[in-house]
Amino acid sequence: MRKSILNENQIMNFEFQIERMERTHFHQSIEILYVLEGNPEVKIQDKVYRTHPEDIIVINANKKHSYQSKEDVLIGFFEIDFRILGDMLETNHLLFWCNSVQNKNAAYDDMRRIMKQIFSQYFEKKGYGQVILQSMYYQLLQVLLENFMVQSDDRRFEGERSQDEERLTDISNYIHSNYRRKISLSELSEALYLSVPYLSKYIKRKMGMNFIDCVNNIRLFHALDDLLYTNNSITAIALENGFASAAAFTKLLKSTYNMTPSEYRQQMKSDSQDGTDRSSGNQKQLLEQRVSSYLDNQLVQEPTDINCGDKYIILDTEQITECKHYWKKMVNVGRVEDLLRSDMREQVVMLCRDLGFRYVRMWELFSEQMLLGNPEKTTEYNFNRVDSVFDFLAENKIRPYLEMGFKPRQLHGALNNNIYEEKVCIPFTDKRKYEHFLNAFLTHLINRYGLEEVENWYFEQWCGEDFGRGAYDERFWELFDCLYQVGKKHSDRIRIGGGGVGIQYGTERLKKMADEWGRRKFKPDFISFYCYPYIRGDEDGIAFARQSTDRDFLGNQLEMAESVIDRSALKGTPIHVTEWSSTISNRNVLNDSCYKGAYILKGIIDCFDKVEVLGYWVGSDIFAEHLDSSRMLFGGCGLINSRGIKKPAFYAYRFLNYLGKYLLYRGDNCIVTTNGNNNYSIVCHNYRHLNYKYFLKSENELEAEKLYQLYEDNQPVQINYQLTHLKNGKYKVKTYSVSEEPGSIQKEWQKLGYGGPLSGSEIDYLKRICTPHIQIRTCDVTRNVLNFETRMQAQEIQYIHISYLYE
């Protein structure tokens, strides 16, 4: 077992390892393992992770772990003192989800950058170098805490782990954090809010020993480590590990191992005198050579340009490729019954007319409000209300994207706070009855709208939130096979897919679904995903879910999902992200802000050409109305508020709709296109990511007036463009912008004092004023080059149209 590298009152330290194997061990300190060279298999508890260079894994306190490798490795590892960090944060609950093998997060790059800076100090650990190291340790801790710490209130599904298990963990963490000093049962009882008599009996019953024996066993565990790996005196070791005296330490050790400390030290060192130990000097020299080689060859210098506010984009207007407008193929609108409402219909027409959406996604075909009849008791169905919805869509040249499953009626205020939730089931207990209904339904649609039209629709079978947990899986396959067989019986060109897997919770369920589809006869015409910025995991039987801090979440999750599909029998199957947004909350004021517009542009630009469909959640706030939605803005996810006023998110899609057919450039902040004829379109943003303050708050408790406090920074950015190979002459450069001033519905409502119910004229006023600001200028192009710049405030979005002025 490796000796701890932490010194007293040192919150963090680091070292390198080149051994190909480390045996199973555990310790109270938190460990960060950073693979620099090789592909070691890391085992934590009963899970094994195949790592690659640049992988980072955090091993939580008291978790058994080991690694082994067939080839040479170089591993950097950090130890964090559990007690010191716990005291700083005033908690014994220190739990981290940080494993780059399992997920992606832009914060991993921040960690790698800091850790490599720390590694560069390997031969300069003393004196001034120690000051530098300490500052970088806290930088690393900040990234770790802000992005990967699991809060105690992130736990979900409490029933999955017993109260006993949680209490035993709390007791163990407390003792491990405080064993070096004198602690008492009464002190522990106060920390756990339990009486002393009860806690005493509880420890005796659950641990098979009294409190003092439990503490002393932990002290002995750490003291033996010091006996083996230090030359400290017996007295020093005893006192440093919490024993009252050397005699107390000796007595316990003798009763346990029938040896004195001196005898134990001599015996263990004698047993370990093998070739490896005798050549420890050579091992140290080899390690230093490997580290020196790594530092010389791998570490990169920090950039010298500190003017990060300016960006320079140079592009050749003759270098073009096709620009696929994948983002505007579909938008979610809500339950089928919602399209019976006139106000929803008006907004759906606006979404498709102004933003270019061709499909609207709907669900809950079987709700009571659709009056289909009871499919379990009849073979005659009432399609009048279905016809009303689909006739409306057909009249406006909008096509349905129909989810045929059983999405629950669910409205989220925050991750762990549902405004309401109601399970919905497909009303068929018999497969034959479902087949009969599907046949009648598709026959009716084809007769009414024509086979050629229905072949252009999408039919999706959702797998359900319980997929992958056993009992429900077979039900999904039965439903999908029914839908597939009936649909293909009418036409091979009817498009049927699924299953709506939430890829934000990792790739395990997706892999299970893809593998099973590979074994089955009927395969989907498209595979659908959900993607919201949350992560979920399990620790000691408790399921946790929390918001992701990854600034590149959508792109990273799609990259992982694509890799799963490409390694499966579904390779080449079109990918549809049927739901995506910055949040599942429909009571988050960021949904009404300029932040949401910048978030949308960033996500769409990041995922360019990765999917066939990217369906935004959701088109209108009407979907999210409830008893608490009387205010004009209530934090709904809609692009349009329930009164028909367009939000910054709407204009993000509006700007994207102006893009041309040919792509000239795509970068971090912008996308440039052309339609030819000396006309060019640019969409850009100044997205600023959320900081730790946001992730510590409940989403439905944010205050609109203080949103500026939730961003990593509020710095403006200037983008300098140079377009080459243009026709000489005069050009008009027209810039449309949405920012806090002007264009923000949230800001304009604030100016009205967040008034109560607004009159019709006041609503009309907001509709007129909540529009992009326009700026026009002319530029002369000589030598076939156009230079111009634009400046954006934090969370501002812009559309820039450049057109040649004919004389």
Side-chain angles (χ1 to χ4, degrees):
M1 184 179 74
R2 179 184 358 110
K3 164 66 180 157
S4 173
I5 58 175
L6 290 169
N7 298 320
E8 188 175 1
N9 297 322
Q10 184 179 27
I11 192 167
M12 187 185 297
N13 200 2
F14 80 99
E15 193 46 87
F16 292 95
Q17 286 193 176
I18 57 174
E19 289 79 9
R20 294 187 179 186
M21 183 185 75
E22 183 175 63
R23 293 181 178 179
T24 301
H25 65 288
F26 68 95
H27 39 71
Q28 180 64 10
S29 55
I30 298 160
E31 183 173 318
I32 306 175
L33 186 149
Y34 184 11
V35 179
L36 305 175
E37 296 173 359
N39 302 97
E41 283 191 348
V42 179
K43 184 175 183 180
I44 305 174
Q45 301 288 81
D46 58 348
K47 294 183 179 179
V48 177
Y49 305 99
R50 176 72 173 178
T51 65
H52 298 87
E54 299 298 315
D55 271 329
I56 298 171
I57 299 177
V58 168
I59 301 165
N60 287 297
N62 300 316
K63 301 299 178 188
K64 292 181 180 179
H65 57 283
S66 62
Y67 75 79
Q68 60 181 0
S69 175
K70 295 179 180 179
E71 66 277 341
D72 288 341
V73 298
L74 178 62
I75 299 171
F77 70 92
F78 296 75
E79 282 194 38
I80 303 170
D81 191 290
F82 187 97
R83 177 185 58 83
I84 296 176
L85 184 59
D87 288 347
M88 283 184 173
L89 301 177
E90 298 181 338
T91 181
N92 284 318
H93 181 90
L94 294 177
L95 180 64
F96 298 93
W97 284 348
C98 182
N99 187 333
S100 65
V101 179
Q102 289 190 304
N103 58 69
K104 291 180 178 291
N105 190 322
Y108 286 120
D109 289 333
D110 295 333
M111 291 182 69
R112 293 180 184 109
R113 174 180 54 81
I114 297 170
M115 287 191 285
K116 287 179 178 180
Q117 290 175 341
I118 293 173
F119 292 158
S120 69
Q121 295 292 121
Y122 180 68
F123 297 105
E124 306 291 339
K125 280 190 173 185
K126 296 182 180 180
Y128 182 66
Q130 187 60 225
V131 176
I132 296 173
L133 277 175
Q134 291 300 320
S135 68
M136 290 189 289
Y137 288 157
Y138 282 99
Q139 291 180 45
L140 182 58
L141 277 175
Q142 181 181 359
V143 175
L144 190 65
L145 292 170
E146 289 183 1
N147 295 279
F148 300 106
M149 184 175 179
V150 179
Q151 304 291 332
S152 58
D153 55 358
D154 287 330
R155 65 182 60 191
R156 308 283 303 281
F157 315 117
E158 296 283 356
E160 294 189 14
R161 185 189 182 201
S162 70
Q163 186 178 10
D164 276 345
E165 290 175 296
E166 295 177 45
R167 183 169 293 162
L168 288 171
T169 298
D170 290 339
I171 291 170
S172 177
N173 282 343
Y174 189 88
I175 296 174
H176 274 287
S177 298
N178 297 281
Y179 73 91
R180 292 176 183 267
R181 63 180 183 85
K182 184 179 180 180
I183 55 176
S184 65
L185 185 61
S186 60
E187 181 183 328
L188 177 59
S189 67
E190 288 180 10
L192 298 181
Y193 302 100
L194 298 170
S195 70
V196 172
Y198 173 83
L199 185 57
S200 176
K201 293 177 181 178
Y202 181 86
I203 293 174
K204 179 70 173 177
R205 185 173 71 252
K206 295 296 181 179
M207 297 184 171
M209 65 185 79
N210 62 37
F211 172 72
I212 294 300
D213 289 341
C214 182
V215 174
N216 282 335
N217 276 344
I218 291 173
R219 287 170 175 162
L220 181 62
F221 172 82
H222 291 282
L224 293 180
D225 196 35
D226 288 344
L227 274 176
L228 292 178
Y229 295 104
T230 75
N231 293 317
N232 295 346
S233 68
I234 305 302
T235 300
I237 291 174
L239 297 179
E240 286 173 3
N241 286 285
F243 289 100
S245 64
F249 171 38
T250 300
K251 181 180 179 181
L252 180 60
L253 180 57
K254 196 163 185 178
S255 66
T256 306
Y257 292 98
N258 198 28
M259 285 186 281
T260 66
S262 298
E263 291 169 343
Y264 182 89
R265 173 181 270 173
Q266 183 177 0
Q267 179 69 45
M268 292 300 107
K269 287 190 174 182
S270 175
D271 290 346
S272 64
Q273 290 304 309
D274 56 22
T276 302
D277 286 336
R278 286 194 296 271
S279 62
S280 59
N282 293 334
Q283 282 289 97
K284 182 178 180 181
Q285 185 179 6
L286 178 60
L287 172 63
E288 291 184 351
Q289 289 173 352
R290 291 282 304 280
V291 172
S292 294
S293 175
Y294 174 79
L295 295 178
D296 290 341
N297 298 327
Q298 297 295 322
L299 294 189
V300 296
Q301 297 296 317
E302 288 294 299
T304 56
D305 181 11
I306 61 172
N307 186 12
C308 299
D310 282 13
K311 297 181 182 293
Y312 296 87
I313 296 173
I314 301 173
L315 56 95
D316 185 346
T317 59
E318 293 182 345
Q319 301 296 317
I320 63 174
T321 57
E322 183 183 3
C323 181
K324 298 178 181 178
H325 293 206
Y326 69 97
W327 57 83
K328 67 180 186 180
K329 193 163 187 177
M330 179 269 282
V331 66
N332 289 276
V333 295
R335 296 171 285 268
V336 178
E337 67 193 59
D338 292 338
L339 272 80
L340 296 171
R341 295 177 51 167
S342 61
D343 54 352
M344 177 64 93
R345 290 187 175 191
E346 289 176 9
Q347 294 200 16
V348 167
V349 169
M350 185 191 305
L351 290 167
C352 296
R353 180 193 64 217
D354 295 351
L355 306 185
F357 292 119
R358 302 194 298 278
Y359 289 83
V360 293
R361 184 167 175 265
M362 307 167 290
W363 50 91
E364 273 197 53
L365 176 68
F366 306 106
S367 73
E368 293 181 3
Q369 286 72 17
M370 295 309 297
L371 302 180
L372 286 171
N374 188 335
E376 285 286 277
K377 298 181 179 179
T378 182
T379 56
E380 299 294 328
Y381 310 105
N382 176 11
F383 292 122
N384 288 341
R385 290 196 171 183
V386 172
D387 292 343
S388 174
V389 171
F390 290 170
D391 287 353
F392 153 72
L393 295 177
E395 289 165 6
N396 290 280
K397 295 181 172 55
I398 303 169
R399 285 172 170 158
Y401 192 120
L402 191 59
E403 200 288 295
M404 296 292 292
F406 41 92
K407 284 175 65 64
R409 286 179 173 247
Q410 201 169 39
L411 193 62
H412 294 280
L415 177 60
N416 296 323
N417 182 342
N418 289 339
I419 297 170
Y420 68 80
E421 181 175 10
E422 177 185 345
K423 293 289 185 181
V424 177
C425 298
I426 292 182
F428 300 95
T429 57
D430 186 282
K431 176 182 176 181
R432 290 172 298 176
K433 291 181 179 179
Y434 187 43
E435 288 176 345
H436 186 276
F437 168 80
L438 289 173
N439 186 67
F441 178 58
L442 286 171
T443 300
H444 177 81
L445 295 179
I446 291 167
N447 288 336
R448 191 173 184 87
Y449 304 104
L451 177 60
E452 185 176 347
E453 173 61 21
V454 176
E455 287 175 341
N456 284 302
W457 297 7
Y458 289 98
F459 298 88
E460 177 191 17
Q461 185 69 56
W462 181 49
C463 67
E465 294 179 348
D466 294 327
F467 182 85
R469 296 184 180 177
Y472 181 74
D473 294 9
E474 193 54 42
R475 174 68 165 155
F476 165 70
W477 297 118
E478 183 178 76
L479 293 171
F480 176 81
D481 288 352
C482 280
L483 178 61
Y484 189 93
Q485 288 177 277
V486 173
K488 297 301 182 180
K489 183 180 71 173
H490 288 83
S491 169
D492 284 338
R493 300 182 64 180
I494 290 180
R495 293 178 287 193
I496 298 164
V501 176
I503 58 173
Q504 66 268 22
Y505 290 147
T507 57
E508 185 177 344
R509 288 205 304 162
L510 175 59
K511 185 179 186 306
K512 183 174 182 178
M513 176 174 284
D515 290 345
E516 179 62 24
W517 247 323
R519 292 187 287 267
R520 300 184 72 88
K521 179 179 179 181
F522 306 119
K523 296 181 173 54
D525 297 317
F526 60 91
I527 185 164
S528 58
F529 304 148
Y530 293 2
C531 193
Y532 298 95
Y534 300 87
I535 56 176
R536 177 175 167 182
D538 182 275
E539 192 74 26
D540 292 338
I542 295 183
F544 291 83
R546 64 185 292 266
Q547 294 169 272
S548 171
T549 60
D550 184 8
R551 70 178 68 243
D552 303 321
F553 183 83
L554 180 62
N556 283 335
Q557 297 303 306
L558 277 177
E559 186 178 322
M560 289 195 297
E562 282 181 313
S563 68
V564 172
I565 298 302
D566 286 345
R567 295 194 300 267
S568 74
L570 297 182
K571 182 177 181 178
T573 304
I575 293 175
H576 293 194
V577 178
T578 49
E579 295 181 17
W580 83 285
S581 183
S582 63
T583 176
I584 58 172
S585 170
N586 273 284
R587 296 298 182 267
N588 185 332
V589 294
L590 280 174
N591 288 325
D592 305 319
S593 72
C594 291
Y595 165 86
K596 193 59 175 279
Y599 180 91
I600 287 171
L601 289 189
K602 173 179 166 49
I604 288 174
I605 292 173
D606 286 352
C607 297
F608 202 80
D609 274 350
K610 289 186 177 180
V611 296
E612 181 179 275
V613 174
L614 187 67
Y616 179 74
W617 178 273
V618 61
S620 170
D621 280 353
I622 292 175
F623 164 79
E625 288 181 328
H626 198 56
L627 299 175
D628 62 343
S629 61
S630 61
R631 289 163 61 88
M632 190 191 75
L633 293 176
F634 50 82
C637 287
L639 300 173
I640 311 171
N641 91 325
S642 55
R643 274 77 163 180
I645 305 174
K646 301 164 185 174
K647 302 185 191 181
F650 177 94
Y651 288 109
Y653 273 99
R654 182 72 167 268
F655 292 172
L656 288 165
N657 196 38
Y658 292 144
L659 290 176
K661 294 185 294 184
Y662 305 107
L663 178 69
L664 294 172
Y665 175 85
R666 178 180 68 90
D668 291 340
N669 288 78
C670 72
I671 185 169
V672 185
T673 65
T674 182
N675 276 331
N677 301 319
N678 302 303
N679 281 266
Y680 306 93
S681 298
I682 301 174
V683 172
C684 51
H685 66 83
N686 183 18
Y687 171 81
R688 316 311 292 180
H689 194 52
L690 299 165
N691 64 24
Y692 74 97
K693 295 178 183 177
Y694 172 78
F695 298 106
L696 292 177
K697 290 178 175 286
S698 180
E699 295 176 81
N700 56 343
E701 295 177 355
L702 302 174
E703 300 175 65
E705 301 89 341
K706 299 180 179 179
L707 291 184
Y708 68 93
Q709 299 177 355
L710 304 180
Y711 309 132
E712 287 184 345
D713 63 69
N714 289 280
Q715 296 300 312
V717 66
Q718 178 168 306
I719 303 181
N720 304 279
Y721 295 94
Q722 183 178 93
L723 279 65
T724 63
H725 292 111
L726 267 71
K727 180 179 180 179
N728 288 332
K730 285 190 177 296
Y731 283 79
K732 179 167 69 174
V733 180
K734 183 186 294 187
T735 302
Y736 299 80
S737 62
V738 173
S739 64
E740 291 293 326
E741 296 287 349
S744 168
I745 178 177
Q746 197 174 63
K747 200 70 173 179
E748 296 300 336
W749 188 39
Q750 182 182 357
K751 291 176 182 178
L752 298 180
Y754 300 120
L758 299 179
S759 66
S761 61
E762 291 165 338
I763 294 290
D764 290 339
Y765 165 77
L766 287 173
K767 287 181 179 179
R768 290 195 306 272
I769 199 171
C770 295
T771 57
H773 176 262
I774 302 177
Q775 181 184 28
I776 300 176
R777 50 184 161 163
T778 58
C779 298
D780 291 318
V781 171
T782 59
R783 300 182 180 180
N784 308 107
V785 175
L786 171 63
N787 291 295
F788 70 97
E789 72 285 331
T790 186
R791 189 173 177 83
M792 292 181 289
Q793 298 302 313
Q795 315 300 6
E796 182 173 347
I797 61 174
Q798 290 185 354
Y799 164 66
I800 303 169
H801 184 246
I802 304 166
S803 56
Y804 180 78
L805 294 175
Y806 292 90
E807 296 181 356

